[in-house]
Amino acid sequence: MFKRYKSTKGITLVALVITIIILLILAGISISTLTNTGIFEKAKEAGFENSEIYVTNSESLEISIYQQEVESYNLDKSFGLSFRGIINGKIGYSHTRILDETSVDMLITTAKNAALLIENEDTQFIYKGDEKYEKVICYYEDLDNIDPKDLIDLGLKMEEECKNYNPNVVNIGGCKITYSKGEVQISNTKGLNLKNKENILYAYIIPIVEIDGEKQDGTGYKIATNINQIDPKEIAKMGVDEALSKINSNVIKTGNYKIALYNEAMVSLLSAFCGVFSADATQKGLSLLKDKENTMIASEKVTIIDNPLLDNGLSSAPFDDEGVATFKKEIVSNGKLTTLLHNLKTANKANTKSTGNGFKSSYATSVAVSPSNFYIEKGNLSFGEILENIGEGLLITDFAGLHSGANAITGDFSLAAKGFYIKDGKKEYPVDQITVAGNFFKLLKDIEEVGDALKF
């Protein structure tokens, strides 16, 4: 899913804080180094039928700017290793941030003890791998050669451009540039040996404007694969324009309105409910989509895609964390639920194949079921045409309270929201302090049109 340094403009860096956290004992550790420790041989001697090691190396550099000074400069490097193995048909996990002979013995002992305590009868797997893995673009060499002082200059320029763009900018709620990179390696006793690395550059600013005593904020941001893609003036304009658009907000009467959901608002709603598409959730009775495959669950206008092979995708990868080759698939195709998301365990229970969605939230967790680049396929109507179809109603641009106001089991939600009142097919005035209530599954069925503004 970051870096900072020094200004070249002669500005005093009063608040420069350098925090370097190095959590790995052996920097740049590799699978070959691990296998040389004899970890697989020791696991076999301990009774494991098959075993696997999963290694992550990551680095992030984050720079914060405030009032034309570097407020913080944080470099974080981390290493993590997890071991898992099957013994007596049960699978045990263990993990560490330090690798030496003692930790290898600890990994094996801890995993064995954990496996022997498990009472679940689900079949577990250590995967031998696939014949072919697609090439995915998720690493950019140009990013690794960026001078940190150039990133600082970008941050300073973003803040400066906000105040130059509009005199009503009175403060900055946040200004950061982050660079991160990471590498994942998987190796097991069935001959699997995979490696993937990724990196990304991210910049954002939150300008605060004040007009006639009313304050509003907005966000300008850019996710980039090359430093030249970050235009401080463009990011500043995005944030300030959003803040200005919220000035003179009104409260509207309670009632039923025709609704248009801005793409980023729909993203937040979809992310809150994406777990309902997990086969693990349906098998545990935690999703209403149980036994709904090959039935209509949404409007014919709706196609939902999970695409881990998306170029420049933030969640792209050629394989999942079980070593299964990933592929693009339609979860919902023109309203019909075509498949749930599976890992090896859930696929075995459903007598089907894994969809390559066996992911870990970190090296220290077990394999679960998660989406990758998960989105609604774009339609044919422009943003303006969507508003024209609404005629009079509401455009919702932001939801808040998604963690507490959305029930993934029932699909019900009641969320604070912001947006605009729509009249005669155009934005009339901003609205806030409103609550939008509904049901996610009903919302999917009620969608009349999908816009063409697909943005990653």
Side-chain angles (χ1 to χ4, degrees):
M1 312 36 86
F2 302 95
K3 302 185 178 180
R4 341 279 186 249
Y5 198 51
K6 173 187 175 185
S7 168
T8 59
K9 298 188 175 181
I11 297 171
T12 304
L13 306 182
V14 176
L16 180 60
V17 178
I18 303 179
T19 306
I20 302 179
I21 306 171
I22 301 180
L23 297 175
L24 67 144
I25 300 301
L26 301 174
I29 195 163
S30 67
I31 285 289
S32 59
T33 303
L34 292 167
T35 54
N36 287 341
T37 65
I39 190 170
F40 289 149
E41 290 77 7
K42 291 182 178 181
K44 185 175 182 180
E45 291 172 2
F48 284 97
E49 300 147 33
N50 280 291
S51 54
E52 182 175 271
I53 48 179
Y54 176 95
V55 180
T56 62
N57 278 295
S58 64
E59 176 182 319
S60 67
L61 176 60
E62 182 178 273
I63 300 168
S64 295
I65 304 295
Y66 185 66
Q67 293 185 352
Q68 290 295 285
E69 293 180 349
V70 177
E71 184 177 42
S72 65
Y73 179 106
N74 298 322
L75 175 64
D76 184 357
K77 295 184 178 181
S78 66
F79 159 80
L81 179 151
S82 68
F83 170 87
R84 64 178 186 147
I86 297 176
I87 184 169
N88 297 334
K90 311 294 183 183
I91 195 163
Y93 284 83
S94 59
H95 57 87
T96 184
R97 289 184 174 184
I98 300 173
L99 185 67
D100 54 24
E101 188 172 345
T102 301
S103 63
V104 168
D105 293 336
M106 178 276 295
L107 285 168
I108 294 171
T109 301
T110 302
K112 182 176 181 178
N113 291 339
L116 296 178
L117 290 172
I118 292 175
E119 297 180 356
N120 190 292
E121 297 298 325
D122 290 342
T123 304
Q124 303 290 344
F125 298 90
I126 298 292
Y127 195 58
K128 66 179 181 180
D130 290 296
E131 291 184 3
K132 182 181 179 182
Y133 293 89
E134 298 293 336
K135 184 177 180 180
V136 184
I137 299 175
C138 50
Y139 179 79
Y140 315 92
E141 291 187 0
D142 287 347
L143 290 181
D144 267 349
N145 299 319
I146 295 175
D147 189 333
K149 69 181 179 61
D150 293 335
L151 299 181
I152 286 182
D153 287 342
L154 280 176
L156 294 168
K157 189 66 175 176
M158 286 194 303
E159 191 180 62
E160 179 184 311
E161 289 292 349
C162 283
K163 296 182 178 181
N164 288 342
Y165 179 66
N166 192 289
N168 295 302
V169 175
V170 295
N171 206 344
I172 300 296
C175 179
K176 289 188 178 182
I177 299 185
T178 303
Y179 170 68
S180 68
K181 65 178 179 180
E183 183 177 78
V184 170
Q185 300 177 77
I186 308 174
S187 183
N188 64 35
T189 53
K190 289 192 171 182
L192 185 73
N193 194 1
L194 298 172
K195 179 190 294 188
N196 185 53
K197 60 182 180 178
E198 59 186 7
N199 61 359
I200 202 72
L201 182 63
Y202 176 61
Y204 77 86
I205 192 164
I206 304 174
I208 299 171
V209 301
E210 181 176 8
I211 298 178
D212 297 331
E214 180 184 356
K215 290 184 178 181
Q216 295 286 356
D217 64 10
T219 303
Y221 68 93
K222 180 69 175 182
I223 299 168
T225 59
N226 186 297
I227 192 171
N228 295 325
Q229 295 173 353
I230 297 181
D231 183 343
K233 184 175 291 188
E234 177 185 307
I235 295 173
K237 182 178 184 301
M238 182 190 303
V240 175
D241 283 348
E242 180 180 314
L244 292 172
S245 71
K246 298 176 183 178
I247 293 291
N248 295 323
S249 296
N250 292 311
V251 178
I252 58 174
K253 295 180 180 180
T254 300
N256 294 319
Y257 295 86
K258 294 185 71 174
I259 296 291
L261 291 177
Y262 192 61
N263 53 9
E264 293 182 2
M266 189 61 199
V267 164
S268 62
L269 197 61
L270 189 61
S271 67
F273 287 100
C274 65
V276 303
F277 297 96
S278 161
D280 187 52
T282 62
Q283 290 170 4
K284 291 176 178 177
L286 301 177
S287 169
L288 293 181
L289 295 184
K290 184 176 182 180
D291 301 324
K292 296 292 186 180
E293 288 174 279
N294 298 314
T295 66
M296 297 293 291
I297 67 162
S299 160
E300 291 183 354
K301 298 283 187 176
V302 176
T303 294
I304 300 178
I305 293 174
D306 182 73
N307 186 10
L309 303 181
L310 182 71
D311 284 348
N312 307 328
L314 294 180
S315 296
S316 296
F319 54 86
D320 69 8
D321 290 335
E322 294 184 295
V324 177
T326 57
F327 60 96
K328 178 182 179 181
K329 79 281 295 185
E330 291 185 356
I331 306 303
V332 176
S333 182
N334 300 121
K336 180 184 290 186
L337 179 65
T338 57
T339 183
L340 295 169
L341 301 177
H342 285 278
N343 61 14
L344 289 170
K345 183 179 75 173
T346 63
N348 180 69
K349 292 175 71 173
N351 194 29
T352 187
K353 292 183 178 181
S354 171
T355 58
N357 290 92
F359 290 106
K360 297 154 67 81
S361 58
S362 82
Y363 75 93
T365 62
S366 58
V367 174
V369 177
S370 300
S372 59
N373 301 301
F374 197 71
Y375 59 94
I376 296 177
E377 181 66 287
K378 68 179 181 180
N380 299 315
L381 296 185
S382 68
F383 179 65
E385 289 171 327
I386 291 288
L387 296 188
E388 287 179 8
N389 283 354
I390 289 289
E392 185 169 5
L394 291 176
L395 168 66
I396 302 299
T397 58
D398 299 275
F399 283 120
L402 286 157
H403 293 292
S404 58
N407 187 320
I409 297 177
T410 65
D412 293 331
F413 60 86
S414 180
L415 304 168
K418 295 180 180 180
F420 294 88
Y421 189 79
I422 305 302
K423 187 175 181 180
D424 297 328
K426 297 181 180 179
K427 292 191 289 186
E428 181 80 358
Y429 54 80
V431 296
D432 61 10
Q433 299 182 43
I434 60 174
T435 298
V436 176
N439 182 276
F440 178 71
F441 299 105
K442 185 175 186 303
L443 182 150
L444 290 180
K445 290 183 177 181
D446 290 345
I447 291 174
E448 296 180 5
E449 295 290 348
V450 177
D452 63 0
L454 182 61
K455 176 182 179 182
F456 294 98

